[in-house]
Amino acid sequence: MDIEFSLALPRDAIGIPMVRRVLGDTLRCIGVSEDCVSDVLLATSEACANAVRHGGPAKRYEVTAAIGQGRCELRVVDGGLGIGAVPRQYPPGDAEHGRGILIMQSVVDEIFFDITPGSGTTVLLRKELDWDEEFLARHDRELAAV
């Protein structure tokens, strides 16, 4: 099964729940396990939050999803100034920001950054999908009855 979609969103936090809803519903509809859906949504939320926070001066950012061959691949593209470096450890406990990239790394299988200083950042997230076996068994029975 191959599913692809792209969302262009205002660089405002209001778009993040929309991305989560579309992506989460899509993954659940094809039988991805809830733990796996949660991991993908967490990483996507963090990438989108970074685009909203750091994606200026652009007014929009884009999220593209490709689901197929047992994996989900997401790209979050902004028009910001880019990040200086990927952190190697979590910031101190009293820090208000700085955990997003490390959180993304902890819940996806692969993460890549394409940074063009002054022109934007692309975050690529890849996750092998785990399946809800009960959903798949029920779905196969429904299809067989048609």
Side-chain angles (χ1 to χ4, degrees):
M1 172 179 303
D2 290 326
I3 299 170
E4 294 182 23
F5 61 84
S6 181
L7 301 169
L9 302 150
R11 202 172 57 81
D12 188 300
I14 197 162
I16 297 172
M18 287 185 240
V19 172
R20 289 178 56 86
R21 181 62 170 261
V22 171
L23 181 57
D25 286 353
T26 301
L27 293 171
R28 288 180 187 102
C29 282
I30 62 170
V32 175
S33 73
E34 196 57 41
D35 285 345
C36 188
V37 171
S38 294
D39 286 348
V40 171
L41 294 182
L42 177 58
T44 303
S45 296
E46 292 294 335
C48 290
N50 285 345
V52 167
R53 184 175 178 87
H54 305 291
K59 295 184 187 317
R60 300 177 76 71
Y61 70 101
E62 186 173 310
V63 178
T64 303
I67 304 164
Q69 311 257 326
R71 102 175 154 184
C72 179
E73 182 173 292
L74 294 145
R75 290 178 198 277
V76 179
V77 181
D78 70 51
L81 301 176
I83 58 173
V86 176
R88 300 198 185 286
Q89 62 186 25
Y90 283 101
D94 61 347
E96 291 187 33
H97 303 287
R99 293 177 180 82
I101 292 172
L102 296 167
I103 290 170
M104 287 185 275
Q105 288 175 326
S106 71
V107 296
V108 298
D109 298 315
E110 296 177 89
I111 181 171
F112 300 99
F113 297 91
D114 182 6
I115 303 164
T116 306
S119 296
T121 300
T122 298
V123 179
L124 172 64
L125 306 167
R126 288 189 184 129
K127 175 88 172 162
E128 294 295 320
L129 299 175
D130 295 323
W131 303 99
D132 179 339
E133 296 301 328
E134 289 180 27
F135 174 92
L136 294 177
R138 188 172 59 248
H139 186 69
D140 285 344
R141 281 196 301 267
E142 289 171 3
L143 287 177
V146 173

